[in-house]
Structure formats: structure tokens, C-alpha cells
Amino acid sequence: WQADFPGGNVSLEVEAPCESAASGLVRPFRLSVTSQAPVRLRLRLELPEAREPFPILPGFLFGDNNLAHVKTDDRFPHLTEPREDRPNFSPYWECRADRLSHPAALVAMQGGAVALAIDPYTDGAEGAVGPGVEDGLRNGCFVQAPGTGRNAACGVTFGYRNDPACYVHKGAYAPATEHRLCCGEVRGSLHAVEGTDRLAVHRIVRDLYARYRAERDPRLETGEALRRLVRAMCGIGWSEADQDFHDLRWDPADGQARTLRGPNHEISWTGGTETAYPLIVYGRRFGDEDALAKGRTLLDRIARPASINPKSGFFWDRVPAEGEPDNNGWWADMTGHQHCAYTNGQACYYLLEAARFEGEAAPPAWRETALRVLDQALRAQAPDGNFGYTFTVEDGSIADPEGFAGCWFVPALALAYAHTGEARYRDSAERALAHYGEQVRRLEPYGTPMDTFGAIDQEGVLAFIRGARLWHETTGEAAFLDRLAEGAAYEYLWRYAYRARAQEPPLRGSPWNSLGGSHTSVSNPCIHPMGLLVTSDLGYLARHTGDPYHADRRADALAFVRNALSLYPDTMGYGEAGVLTE
């Protein structure tokens, strides 16, 4: 197709359809433009007959970004009818393609899913203008919600614009930036698959991964990466006086690390058991007595009877070496001073996992205390399987039912069942997997991290993946392997499939590689290595399905963190070997 416009012309060449690896339809295309003045081209796929459309900009927007359930509606983008007092309310959202884990705009609907994809960068475009365009023209992706006078739609742009605004972080928006050009050509693809639910989009994502996957660049051997991490944690990060780790920030003024929030006495999520367990594994496998001792110190403290609130039956969220435990985690102002399902469920899991790993060397209190809290979770659990988001300090009942965080009880239940053989643990887990599995199938897990205000997130599905894997490992039942595959596919929606070009120093022009890093949520616009938590689970899935796709995705995440670790301190200009930020 060709068309003229004042001062220029545009052409679209669509190639013959071909069957994809995921058994869908793929039509590659080339889009070119010649213009006297810089322009941005928009290629829109209109969907006038789409039933129950669910637009996706992977890592940025899922449907309307959970508008009905968020804790506050002014924090991050929502695809909905516009409101003058809400700059984040819009029926149209466009952003740079490299803001997304895969450079594509997708729409799931009854009967299947469609997508338009575009190369995230165009080199050699003539007359290109915009901030940072000297490093390559950035292209864009967009979605549109149906409404009065408009259809559901998705599409791509040659050049880009952050429209209606540039989302910076929670509650902060900047004026739109854009790239335009006078002459150039870009490639992309149109995708369509049939399916009975939103899971159809995963087949398109698989094709996008095959098309855009970059070469891995780990730059650091795995053993050396582990040694650097542990040396930094046990050296820089450990406070002998507090017998715990600190949350640290680097002070560039005098070139050293300083405490950000003081000693980290949380039981999990950003410290505690989640930190202790891998140190114990490392200590045993590599003969590091210091790492082993520090890990056991934390678990012993958290497993004390005093760590449990006698009224509620749940762990206090914060357990210092000296003084009274409390719920004053750094997130308390966001959740209220309640017990959190995220930290309690994860603490139960890691205590039981550490007890399983250590065998006869594990103190009985690790398992006994975890089972005691887990039994309280069973008493609080709703009939539909939901564990809720927070629990009251008075009696341990569910205070806030909305959120995915309680899914961390599911892997703990698998270990409890393996240890005791008690059917009530399996019954509880099956109801929970059914409840949380519906959110995974709808592509809407939300309310896991306590600093995201109910946003759709990536973190919650890690618990679902680990739980499904452990239950398949325990029972051998195929249904659990199916849940594991669904959870993994959702995680891939957040995991970068290509190498993004960093625009600002110190990463600009560096060997940093985004491949394998995961977005955190639609609220927190950063990329982090938390997907590493399911490394063993993806390997398990690859072995039991014979599908190398999962092995590739697993390898990407390992390469991502090894690459990131290699950048400190020389490339980043601060820190020490083993220091790693989100």
C-alpha cells in the first residue's frame, strides 16, 4: 500500500503469511516514509468486533491496570475514560517500544489474540529529531480502549511519543518526549492466534522472543558472581553490632556505603529468611562457614517463639536481635501496621526449605515454628482459597483480602505436606492454586509487593511457579505441571527478550544487557533480578516438558545478573565487586 500526504509519502509492504513456531499466523511487514518535515508514522490495527478486548503493553499496561482494585488511582497509567483531574486516565497509551519487555502491542479477546510488533530501534534514519536520537531512532507501541466513537485497537509507531504523558514513577508524570524522522524504513510483524482465553497471547510472546532475542553476554563466570555477592553481603552488608544485614546506599561524596534504613530486621521479602536460605546453601556447597553462620543466625532468630504474635498466631514482620518484634517494616505506612501475607508466607516457606536442605543439622524450631504459623494461615484462609493481603494483629483474621501476596503460603504447604502427610495441607493448597491460578490465567496477578498499591505485578507469580513445581514434584500430577507452565508464561511477559539501549550514563554505551531482566510491576518502572528465584523451576519445567524455550528463558536471567554484577564498580563508577542495585 502507498499513500501521499502533504510534503511526503508512505508505503507499507506486507509479506505473505507464514505459520509460526507457536502455530499462529505471522505476517512480516516493512514500513517506510519520505517527508520534507520530521513525522511519526502510526500503524493501527482496528478491532471493531473484538469481544472483551484486553490490551497489553508487556511490562507497562495490562487491561486497565487493575483500576477497580488499586489502593489509590493516581499512581500509574490506567487505560480508561479520560478525567481532567487524573493525568494517568486515558483511553490511549503509547510509549517507547524499549520500555516494554517485548516490542509489541497485543490484544487478547474472545477467540484468540492479535499483536503488532516493531523493531525497537532504527539506525540511519534521515532527518531524525528528538532527545538521544543520535543513538538511534526509538520506535513506539500503543493500545486503545473501546468507547464511544472508537474501537479497541493496538499498533506501532515509526518514531515514538510518550502519549498522553511520560510515566516516570508512582504519581509522577513528565511532559511527553518523542522521536520523529524525515526518511527511513522499519520492519515489524502482524500476529494472530486462535484461543479460548487470554493465554493465547503467550503463543505470540513465544514468536516475539524467537524474533528479537539478543545474544547473552554474561561477562562473569557463575562461581565468581556468587563469590562476589556473598563477599559483599557478608562484608559490606553485615552489621556485627546488630547481627543482621543493612539496606545500604552508596554515598558518592566519600565513596563508601552508608545505611539507608538501618539494620534490616524484616522476616522476609527484602531480608530475613529470603536472605538467609541462599547463604546456607552457599555455605554448605562452597564450604563458607561465615555465610553459613550468618544464614543460620537469622533463621534461629526468626524461629524463636517470641517472633510470633501470641494473639494473631502470625510472625511479627520485623524481628530484631534485641528488643521487641513489631510490624514496623519500612512499608508499614503503606499497609497499616498489620501482619503481611507476603512476609509471613515467604518466611514459612524458607524456614521449611532450609529445614529440608539441612536435614538432621536443622534445629527443630525451624520446622515447628513455620508449621505453627502455617496452621494459623489455614484457619484464616477464605473458603475460595484466598489467603488475603494482610492479617489483623488482634486475632489473625484477614484484614485486607485483595492481593496475590498470600500465594507464598502455597509452596510452604507443599513442604508441610511432604513432611507430615496431612491431607489438610494439600486441600488448602489446591484451593489456593485454583484461586490464584484464575488471576494468572486472566494475566492480572496484583497486590504482591507492599509498595505498589495493588498494581499488577511480576513478583507474585514467582510464588505460584514455586508452589506449582513443588506440588508436581510431590504428587506427579499433570495438572500441577500445567499450572507451572502457565505461571512461567506469565513471568515471560515481564522478562526482557532483547538488548535495550540505555540512554543515560553510566549505562549508556556500556556492555549492560537487559536480556533476561524482569520488570517489577506496572507501578515500579525498574528492571530487577528477582526472576532468578524461579531459576530451578524453569529448569524443572524444561526437563519435564522437553521444551528448550523454558531453558532459554532460564539462561537469560542468569546471564542478566552475571552481566549486571560485572559492571560494579568500573562501569558504574561506584560500589565494590558484588554490589548490585535493582
Side-chain angles (χ1 to χ4, degrees):
W1 292 268
Q2 296 188 32
D4 295 327
F5 59 87
N9 61 76
V10 61
S11 67
L12 172 66
E13 180 181 341
V14 182
E15 298 177 12
C18 59
E19 289 297 317
S20 73
S23 301
L25 187 69
V26 178
R27 297 195 70 168
F29 66 79
R30 282 199 304 246
L31 185 64
S32 60
V33 63
T34 299
S35 174
Q36 294 177 359
V39 295
R40 167 172 131 264
L41 288 182
R42 183 161 50 195
L43 180 61
R44 181 196 304 268
L45 178 61
E46 291 273 351
L47 303 165
E49 299 179 1
R51 292 173 295 166
E52 300 182 14
F54 186 80
I56 300 170
L57 293 174
F60 183 82
L61 191 143
F62 293 77
D64 64 6
N65 272 351
N66 199 36
L67 182 56
H69 300 283
V70 296
K71 307 300 181 186
T72 174
D73 63 9
D74 61 353
R75 297 285 178 167
F76 41 86
H78 292 293
L79 190 72
T80 186
E81 294 302 317
R83 274 175 48 181
E84 289 186 4
D85 63 334
R86 288 288 184 266
N88 57 326
F89 279 36
S90 174
Y92 177 94
W93 277 95
E94 177 186 336
C95 63
R96 271 171 41 169
D98 65 356
R99 173 63 177 80
L100 310 178
S101 64
H102 300 70
L106 305 93
V107 179
M109 67 197 83
Q110 285 191 19
V114 297
L116 278 173
I118 192 168
D119 291 350
Y121 308 106
T122 299
D123 294 319
E126 298 178 17
V129 295
V133 76
E134 60 274 9
D135 293 330
L137 183 85
R138 266 69 169 174
N139 300 313
C141 298
F142 69 86
V143 290
Q144 177 176 285
T148 303
R150 64 176 186 270
N151 297 316
C154 64
V156 296
T157 57
F158 193 9
Y160 86 94
R161 178 178 172 82
N162 289 313
D163 198 359
C166 178
Y167 176 51
V168 181
H169 57 81
K170 289 187 284 284
Y173 300 85
T177 56
E178 62 181 357
H179 279 185
R180 293 174 176 260
L181 74 155
C182 291
C183 182
E185 179 181 283
V186 68
R187 297 189 66 87
S189 52
L190 165 68
H191 302 254
V193 297
E194 293 182 348
T196 57
D197 54 27
R198 293 177 185 174
L199 299 185
V201 302
H202 296 321
R203 289 155 54 199
I204 294 177
V205 168
R206 187 177 180 126
D207 281 340
L208 293 172
Y209 178 74
R211 175 180 174 84
Y212 289 106
R213 184 180 66 186
E215 291 295 321
R216 300 184 193 104
D217 186 14
R219 303 182 63 80
L220 202 62
E221 186 267 329
T222 300
E224 176 59 21
L226 287 169
R227 285 188 289 274
R228 289 187 185 187
L229 277 169
V230 173
R231 281 199 300 264
M233 290 172 67
C234 294
I236 303 169
W238 179 261
S239 168
E240 192 63 29
D242 296 302
Q243 287 293 289
D244 212 331
F245 295 96
H246 285 228
D247 289 326
L248 297 172
R249 64 182 296 273
W250 193 266
D251 187 343
D254 56 9
Q256 62 179 316
R258 297 191 182 280
T259 184
L260 178 66
R261 285 182 282 255
N264 185 331
H265 293 317
E266 286 84 29
I267 60 172
S268 197
W269 184 31
T270 54
T273 57
E274 187 183 44
T275 307
Y277 173 68
L279 287 177
I280 289 171
V281 175
Y282 180 89
R284 290 294 183 193
R285 291 185 177 171
F286 293 91
D288 188 325
E289 293 297 328
D290 183 49
L292 179 64
K294 286 180 168 58
R296 291 177 68 97
T297 293
L298 293 185
L299 293 192
D300 287 344
R301 179 187 309 154
I302 294 167
R304 295 179 305 186
S307 299
I308 297 177
N309 177 357
K311 293 182 179 180
S312 67
F314 283 107
F315 285 116
W316 293 104
D317 280 29
R318 187 175 171 276
V319 181
E322 297 181 3
E324 295 297 318
D326 54 48
N327 282 337
N328 299 326
W330 61 265
W331 56 83
D333 289 341
M334 306 176 203
T335 60
H337 294 260
Q338 312 280 5
H339 301 296
C340 292
Y342 194 146
T343 51
N344 268 265
Q346 199 174 67
C348 287
Y349 165 69
Y350 278 115
L351 281 167
L352 292 172
E353 188 68 274
R356 181 171 74 158
F357 178 80
E358 285 284 75
E360 293 182 359
W366 292 1
R367 183 175 283 117
E368 292 167 0
T369 307
L371 291 177
R372 179 180 164 190
V373 173
L374 200 54
D375 287 345
Q376 173 57 32
L378 265 62
R379 288 189 286 270
Q381 186 180 23
D384 65 357
N386 181 24
F387 282 108
Y389 181 66
T390 57
F391 307 104
T392 68
V393 295
E394 291 80 15
D395 61 8
S397 59
I398 294 176
D400 183 347
E402 293 202 337
F404 206 88
C407 191
W408 269 108
F409 286 111
V410 175
L413 289 166
L415 298 179
Y417 177 74
H419 176 66
T420 67
E422 294 184 20
R424 62 197 181 100
Y425 292 127
R426 174 165 181 168
D427 172 70
S428 172
E430 288 182 336
R431 286 186 290 122
L433 277 171
H435 170 78
Y436 295 111
E438 280 303 305
Q439 292 184 45
V440 173
R441 295 181 68 85
R442 293 198 309 268
L443 313 183
E444 292 183 296
Y446 70 92
T448 306
M450 283 81 86
D451 62 345
T452 59
F453 303 92
I456 293 176
D457 65 69
Q458 171 260 0
E459 287 186 34
V461 82
L462 304 177
F464 185 84
I465 291 170
R466 177 57 50 84
R469 176 263 179 96
L470 287 174
W471 278 105
H472 183 264
E473 201 171 44
T474 301
T475 68
E477 294 183 10
F480 293 122
L481 192 65
D482 292 340
R483 301 294 83 75
L484 171 56
E486 290 167 2
Y490 177 77
E491 155 67 14
Y492 302 154
L493 280 167
W494 301 84
R495 187 171 290 199
Y496 262 90
Y498 60 100
R499 188 175 195 146
R501 297 180 185 178
Q503 184 173 317
E504 300 295 333
L507 292 183
R508 180 184 177 187
S510 79
W512 178 72
N513 192 343
S514 59
L515 176 70
S518 297
H519 289 270
T520 67
S521 69
V522 300
S523 173
N524 290 348
C526 60
I527 180 173
H528 69 171
M530 197 175 284
L532 284 172
L533 286 177
V534 295
T535 299
S536 62
D537 308 288
L538 299 185
Y540 181 93
L541 180 61
R543 291 192 302 274
H544 282 77
T545 60
D547 189 343
Y549 176 57
H550 304 297
D552 284 338
R553 290 289 202 167
R554 171 188 179 275
D556 291 346
L558 286 168
F560 168 77
V561 77
R562 288 154 58 196
N563 176 287
L565 276 166
S566 74
L567 305 180
Y568 295 85
D570 295 341
T571 298
M572 299 300 288
Y574 69 89
E576 297 182 25
V579 169
L580 179 67
T581 69
E582 286 191 317

